[in-house]
Amino acid sequence: MNGQAFRRAGGQIIDRTKPLRFRFDGKPYEGFAGDTLASALMANGVRLLGRSFKYHRPRGLMAIGSDEPNALITVRRDGNTEPNTRATMIELYDGLEATSQNAWPSLRFDLGAVSNAVSPMIPAGFYYKTFMGPTRHAWMFYEALIRRAAGLGFASREPDASSYSKMNAHAEVVIVGAGEAGLREAHAAGQTGVRVILIDEAAQPGGWLLRERDHSSIAPLIAAVREMPNVTILSRTTAFGVYDGLQVAAVERIQDHLPIVNARAPRQRLWLIRAQRIVLAAGAIEQPLLFEGNDRPGVMMAGAARGYINQFGAAPGSRVVIATNNDTGYQTAFDFAAAGLPVTAILDARDAAPEPLADEARALNIAVVARASIQRTVYSGALRGVVADVAGKSAQYDCDVVAMSGGWAPAVHLSTHLGGKPAFEETRGMFLPAALPSGISCVGAMTGEGLPKMSVAASSAERAFVDFQNDVTIKDVKLAHREGYRSVEHLKRYTTLGMGTDQGKTANIAGLSTMAALTGQPIAATGTTTFRPPYTPVSIGALGGLETGEHLRPLRRTPIQDWHEANGGLMAVSGLWKRPKGYPKPGEDILAAQIREARMVREAVGIVDVSTLGKIEVQGPDAAEFLDRIYCSPVKNLKIGRSRYGVMLREDGVVMDDGTLARLGANHYYVTTTTAQAAKVLAHMEYHAQVTWPELRVSIISVSDQFGAIAVAGPQSQRLLARLAGADAFDDATFPYPSLKSISFGGVEVRVLRASYSGERAYELHVPAAYALSLWEALLEAGAKPYGVEAMAILRIEKGHVAGPEIDGRTTPADLGLAKLVRMDKEFIGRRMLQRPGIADASRPSLVGLAPVDEASRIRSGAQITLTDVGKSAPMIGHVTSSCFSPVKGHPIALALISNAAEMRDKIVFARYPLRNETVAVRVVSAVFYDAEGARLHV
């Protein structure tokens, strides 16, 4: 059989006429169409598939579906690698290449296994204790070793060549799980004519029935559901989360099972499905038994062992011992016998074996032993047998497979994602979904239907594993109990029980029952940990979808962007926009260009596209009152036709944004915001208008896209504009600083703000977007020249104007030298918090200027400010926020936030940039480097 020594008859879903070749750890193997990587490796006799997270213990297959904790594999495809993929969920295709993880130099001979030998020295929580006290300073050294020794697979460093997509869908009924219960729900709902979406992670519907010897009974139901035009079946799709508004998130694996990837099609698709009703039919998960060595290769779930035989015709081994505490273990024994595989014995932990099942087993020459529980495995390179306690006496049984069944736990995970906690039902001995939100229901095995009563007995075997993925043993749970970590949430974090990709599927019941026994509490009182999405791991690519590269975020274009790109503008991303950094001439780099452009503005006139500014209109009888509460500076006394600089605060007294306020009429205001905060400011205003002060009669609307905006700055700006619109329009007597005026340019009414960001005489022309390019070109024809945002930054730093690097979510008006704008005699958002002692502390970092002592050295943004240049750990007193080369000063300058700024004036400090090992001696000076009196505004 092409080397598939453990392939047996049967296997309902494999196609033996279609052999497939694949490689595992570089060695070639063969399987069949319909196989998973797990079943194909099993058929080839491969038992060792990986090494455990912490102790590097040898691990093999334990389960058959997404509850597999051990067999985490790296798949290599098209030059990319995807780690931590369950072998049980990897559908075989021709040419598949897979490798094991967490082992070096090889899977069979792993030097990391030394950690198993020293495991008594590294119990649960050892890292907390090791890195406290005298050894805590060695953490960075230890961390690298621990991260290399422990863990799972390695993420690829190569760009993901695959594509992904997203789909939004709506349905009256969404059903998760296409087992018998889910199919019946889909059929019933489909008959009413409503839209139904049926989600299942397997390649075909049928659930656990497909793993039985005869699953023909489900075929008519599957066919009936498939024929319904209003029912959509999403196979190979895992529902990983349930969210507010009855929304199900799921990932569909579109091409993961194909040998040749279609580059035009997505590899995976993220589904966001909104429903009127959600039905959860996620089934149940078989639980392990607790005994020493229960993690060895060859020890697996009884239901999984049966599934591999029936579904794939793959035998887990040559001779099996069934260990069970419920009736379902017997069916595994019967299926092994039907496949011609010897069953050494059924070890039933209960006081008496169920007679009908026991009689059937004996008729098949299978020994049935009651009051029998495995104490330990006999393992020497492979599983050789087990030692069991039989009614108080020790007995050994030879085998190379242990098929264990500790009962079945409903897969309650999705039912808890909206905050509900499962409830423990004593009569059934299991956690069941409870406190379900309106519109969500559970059916089938999720409700305990058809499941045997759970009976998880405490074990004295301290090296019995309760969490196979994270190497958590009974000994670790006992240690957590001794050290006071008895709450289930503390237990989880102290021991890592139920963490990782397993999410407690096979670990929680055993771990929680052990803690319950230690505390003397019932399991119901012990409770469960919180299950959070995702139910199974989701690739970052699937979450991102098409939002990569240029599609990462929406791209907004100003009305003048095409001109910038066609005329040498060096474009750079600025939030959701692309803005010209500058316009380098031939042979000129961007640094030279920005310095040239900044000088041009200081000496003549320049124009810059500021269409990206946020623009908001506020109207209504209470508009003045509303804005007076939004801004810390006064608004009510602003006269019609005048404007002023305004600052708004968050509720905690920290500066949120700055901009310009202009009054167009008695109840009509025009507000500008920074580019970065435009959407946030609009949301801020709308929230307070609707929630905080709903009694105020005010309307708010964004007009950011309705207006383009051009700043005209420089000593010749007035003369330039007068040539286009007439001298009278720009006369200082009728158009003083700061104010707003409507002026006609070629018959188009333009809102002109006399405002300055550069410190020079300047005007902002807010023009209807359709005419912005025409006005820009008219200004150029009149003699203006363009400048970019880099030159604009130089101009504002020379003038000491604050921007995003200074308004960083931590600074108050006083920190930024804007305290005079704050009117404490009125109410406004953030006023009360400004009165906190910490806000008024003179030692708070506040704005200063920095100049290099040698008048030449570059000061880097982000540099740490220290009092000394000696020692690597000199305490910081602040940091550099913005820096540039100043054409007017002839040397680099910077703005910074430093503590005790008033005391530091004219003192020498040091700007240290450890990433480049640079230290520059700088003098603390005024933050205003140019025209401190403001005379240039009127030149």
Side-chain angles (χ1 to χ4, degrees):
M1 274 206 172
N2 299 318
Q4 299 183 50
F6 287 83
R7 186 73 75 177
R8 292 294 182 267
Q12 296 101 326
I13 71 167
I14 61 171
D15 186 345
R16 296 175 188 262
T17 67
K18 296 180 180 179
L20 302 176
R21 296 174 179 82
F22 69 100
R23 302 178 74 89
F24 178 66
D25 279 350
K27 187 176 179 179
Y29 296 97
E30 280 194 359
F32 295 117
D35 264 322
T36 63
L37 176 60
S39 65
L41 288 172
M42 179 177 286
N44 282 274
V46 179
R47 299 291 176 260
L48 179 60
L49 272 70
R51 292 279 176 168
S52 67
F53 175 82
K54 184 176 176 182
Y55 298 134
H56 287 244
R57 288 171 66 88
R59 292 285 169 80
L61 285 168
M62 183 176 171
I64 196 171
S66 61
D67 52 333
E68 170 58 45
N70 292 336
L72 302 182
I73 303 296
T74 294
V75 179
R76 302 182 184 278
R77 185 171 188 165
D78 296 335
N80 291 323
T81 62
E82 181 172 350
N84 307 328
T85 305
R86 288 169 170 80
T88 52
M89 300 300 292
I90 302 171
E91 293 182 57
L92 200 66
Y93 56 82
D94 200 56
L96 184 148
E97 291 190 20
T99 57
S100 56
Q101 302 180 163
N102 202 33
W104 186 86
S106 70
L107 181 59
R108 190 158 294 279
F109 180 72
D110 176 23
L111 289 177
V114 69
S115 60
N116 186 50
V118 298
S119 58
M121 300 173 59
I122 49 175
F126 81 96
Y127 30 82
Y128 300 124
K129 302 167 186 175
T130 304
F131 308 122
M132 293 173 63
T135 62
R136 66 182 183 275
H137 298 297
W139 163 245
M140 297 303 291
F141 171 75
Y142 289 130
E143 180 187 30
L145 296 178
I146 291 172
R147 289 188 183 276
R148 186 169 183 83
L152 301 174
F154 289 96
S156 174
R157 294 181 179 273
E158 300 298 321
D160 191 344
S162 302
S163 63
Y164 303 84
S165 70
K166 292 184 180 180
M167 178 68 75
N168 286 278
H170 296 79
E172 279 73 27
V173 181
V174 171
I175 301 168
V176 179
E180 183 176 14
L183 286 166
R184 294 195 184 283
E185 286 288 323
H187 188 260
Q191 288 182 318
T192 68
V194 301
R195 291 171 298 177
V196 179
I197 295 179
L198 176 61
I199 302 171
D200 194 74
E201 65 183 5
Q204 53 187 301
W208 267 98
L209 287 178
L210 296 182
R211 295 164 185 166
E212 302 295 348
R213 262 185 287 168
D214 180 10
H215 63 268
S216 59
S217 62
I218 197 68
L221 181 57
I222 295 174
V225 173
R226 287 191 186 279
E227 290 174 358
M228 290 182 165
N230 56 320
V231 177
T232 300
I233 301 177
L234 295 179
S235 296
R236 297 188 176 93
T237 305
T238 300
F240 64 82
V242 177
Y243 299 90
D244 290 340
L246 295 183
Q247 180 177 220
V248 176
V251 170
E252 180 184 9
R253 303 181 299 279
I254 298 173
Q255 296 197 76
D256 285 359
H257 63 292
L258 301 178
I260 300 176
V261 174
N262 180 359
R264 296 181 180 179
R267 176 191 158 210
Q268 296 177 351
R269 178 180 290 122
L270 176 67
W271 286 81
L272 300 175
I273 309 171
R274 290 162 179 85
Q276 290 183 4
R277 184 165 69 93
I278 297 174
V279 180
L280 300 178
I285 300 171
E286 196 167 19
Q287 299 298 297
L289 293 172
L290 302 179
F291 51 87
E292 186 175 337
N294 62 342
D295 66 320
R296 294 297 192 182
V299 180
M300 64 190 309
M301 299 301 184
R306 179 168 85 246
Y308 281 111
I309 293 173
N310 296 329
Q311 196 169 14
F312 302 104
S318 302
R319 192 172 186 85
V320 65
V321 163
I322 309 294
T324 187
N325 63 8
N326 64 86
D327 291 356
T328 61
Y330 286 79
Q331 189 59 53
T332 300
F334 302 155
D335 289 355
F336 264 75
L341 296 168
V343 179
T344 301
I346 299 175
L347 305 180
D348 195 327
R350 294 172 292 184
D351 290 338
E355 284 306 321
L357 293 175
D359 291 342
E360 185 177 351
R362 295 185 187 105
L364 295 171
N365 295 319
I366 301 173
V368 178
V369 186
R371 296 178 62 193
S373 57
I374 297 177
Q375 299 299 297
R376 61 181 176 86
T377 57
V378 178
Y379 186 87
S380 177
L383 186 64
R384 309 295 182 185
V386 296
V387 175
D389 181 302
V390 179
K393 296 182 180 180
S394 181
Q396 183 165 331
Y397 298 88
D398 295 335
C399 63
D400 61 357
V401 177
V402 173
M404 60 179 174
S405 180
W408 298 77
V412 298
H413 299 67
L414 293 177
S415 71
T416 68
H417 285 180
L418 289 177
K421 283 279 190 180
F424 190 77
E425 188 174 307
E426 292 288 349
T427 57
R428 294 184 179 181
M430 61 184 65
F431 284 97
L432 298 175
L436 294 172
S438 177
I440 298 180
S441 58
C442 299
V443 297
M446 270 196 77
T447 66
E449 178 185 329
L451 298 181
K453 180 180 178 180
M454 282 278 289
S455 177
V456 182
S459 173
S460 60
E462 292 199 341
R463 286 286 279 179
F465 284 83
V466 294
D467 188 313
F468 298 84
Q469 188 167 104
N470 295 306
D471 279 345
V472 180
T473 64
I474 288 178
K475 180 181 179 181
D476 295 322
V477 178
K478 289 181 176 179
L479 178 62
H481 174 261
R482 288 200 306 272
E483 299 196 351
Y485 296 96
R486 298 167 187 175
S487 159
V488 290
E489 297 293 355
H490 292 163
L491 170 66
K492 175 179 180 178
R493 284 150 184 81
Y494 188 70
T495 64
T496 68
L497 174 74
M499 297 175 70
T501 65
D502 179 66
Q503 285 294 296
K505 296 179 183 69
T506 57
N508 266 26
I509 298 299
L512 297 176
S513 61
T514 300
M515 179 57 77
L518 291 170
T519 58
Q521 291 183 317
I523 296 180
T526 303
T528 65
T529 55
T530 302
F531 299 113
R532 298 182 178 89
Y535 175 70
T536 55
V538 178
S539 66
I540 298 296
L543 293 176
L546 293 173
E547 297 165 16
T548 62
E550 291 290 328
H551 302 288
L552 177 61
R553 54 178 65 89
L555 178 62
R556 303 185 67 182
R557 301 172 64 87
T558 75
I560 312 171
Q561 181 164 333
D562 287 343
W563 187 96
H564 300 316
E565 294 176 344
N567 289 272
L570 185 61
M571 308 302 288
V573 175
S574 177
L576 298 180
W577 306 86
K578 277 191 174 181
R579 306 183 69 186
K581 296 173 65 177
Y583 305 86
K585 294 182 177 181
E588 187 179 52
D589 62 18
I590 187 61
L591 178 60
Q594 67 193 43
I595 292 172
R596 171 181 53 78
E597 291 169 2
R599 284 199 180 103
M600 172 189 69
V601 175
R602 294 277 184 238
E603 297 170 0
V605 60
I607 57 174
V608 60
D609 184 1
V610 292
S611 302
T612 60
L613 292 175
K615 309 169 197 77
I616 302 171
E617 290 200 11
V618 181
Q619 299 186 52
D622 295 321
E625 176 65 29
F626 174 75
L627 291 172
D628 208 49
R629 299 179 187 181
I630 289 286
Y631 286 88
C632 63
S633 43
V635 177
K636 289 180 180 178
N637 62 356
L638 186 63
K639 296 180 180 179
I640 295 174
R642 298 305 300 266
S643 63
R644 91 176 22 139
Y645 177 71
V647 175
M648 67 177 62
L649 310 182
R650 300 188 319 216
E651 288 80 355
D652 59 0
V654 169
V655 175
M656 179 181 185
D657 195 43
D658 65 344
T660 303
L661 282 156
R663 191 167 191 174
L664 301 178
N667 300 320
H668 190 182
Y669 291 82
Y670 185 59
V671 175
T672 68
T673 74
T674 62
T675 296
Q677 300 296 328
K680 185 176 181 180
V681 168
L682 178 66
H684 179 72
M685 287 185 174
E686 289 180 332
Y687 173 83
H688 287 289
Q690 296 175 34
V691 178
T692 311
W693 310 303
E695 73 280 3
L696 295 184
R697 296 163 296 169
V698 61
S699 297
I700 304 161
I701 187 170
S702 170
V703 292
S704 296
D705 293 335
Q706 280 64 44
F707 287 93
I710 303 167
V712 185
Q716 297 178 18
S717 58
Q718 183 184 34
R719 291 191 291 274
L720 174 77
L721 293 171
R723 288 198 293 271
L724 294 176
D728 292 344
F730 291 91
D731 181 74
D732 285 349
T734 59
F735 197 1
Y737 175 87
S739 57
L740 178 144
K741 191 175 184 180
S742 181
I743 299 175
S744 176
F745 284 80
V748 177
E749 290 298 312
V750 177
R751 291 176 180 176
V752 182
L753 279 164
R754 187 165 176 192
S756 179
Y757 192 65
S758 61
E760 303 293 336
R761 175 187 284 268
Y763 302 86
E764 285 183 13
L765 281 55
H766 292 242
V767 57
Y771 299 98
L773 179 57
S774 297
L775 180 57
W776 177 269
E777 291 175 335
L779 292 167
L780 292 172
E781 290 177 8
K785 294 181 179 179
Y787 65 99
V789 295
E790 293 291 344
M792 191 163 59
I794 291 175
L795 298 170
R796 73 97 180 165
I797 294 172
E798 288 179 334
K799 190 60 180 172
H801 283 168
V802 296
E806 291 76 41
I807 305 176
D808 63 358
R810 297 177 292 181
T811 48
T812 67
D815 299 338
L816 301 176
L818 304 176
K820 63 182 180 181
L821 298 179
V822 180
R823 286 286 299 272
M824 296 298 290
D825 59 348
K826 72 182 185 79
E827 284 295 335
F828 57 86
I829 294 172
R831 176 181 178 274
R832 303 299 176 91
M833 300 304 279
L834 285 180
Q835 298 173 337
R836 291 176 296 172
I839 294 296
D841 190 346
S843 67
R844 281 180 60 86
S846 55
L847 190 69
V848 298
L850 300 176
V853 173
D854 63 6
E855 296 189 345
S857 297
R858 177 182 179 182
I859 307 170
R860 293 190 182 274
S861 295
Q864 304 168 357
I865 307 300
T866 61
L867 293 173
T868 176
D869 62 345
V870 179
K872 293 184 178 180
S873 58
M876 285 177 56
I877 63 168
H879 71 283
V880 176
T881 57
S882 305
S883 65
C884 69
F885 178 86
S886 169
V888 298
K889 303 299 290 186
H891 59 71
I893 61 172
L895 298 178
L897 291 166
I898 67 171
S899 302
N900 300 302
E903 300 176 8
M904 299 303 298
R905 186 67 178 268
D906 295 326
K907 292 185 179 179
I908 295 175
V909 294
F910 298 89
R912 307 180 66 174
Y913 198 75
L915 292 177
R916 293 179 179 267
N917 196 27
E918 294 177 359
T919 300
V920 178
V922 295
R923 189 179 304 278
V924 180
V925 297
S926 168
V928 182
F929 294 91
Y930 174 75
D931 187 29
E933 298 77 19
R936 300 287 296 179
L937 292 170
H938 309 284
V939 172

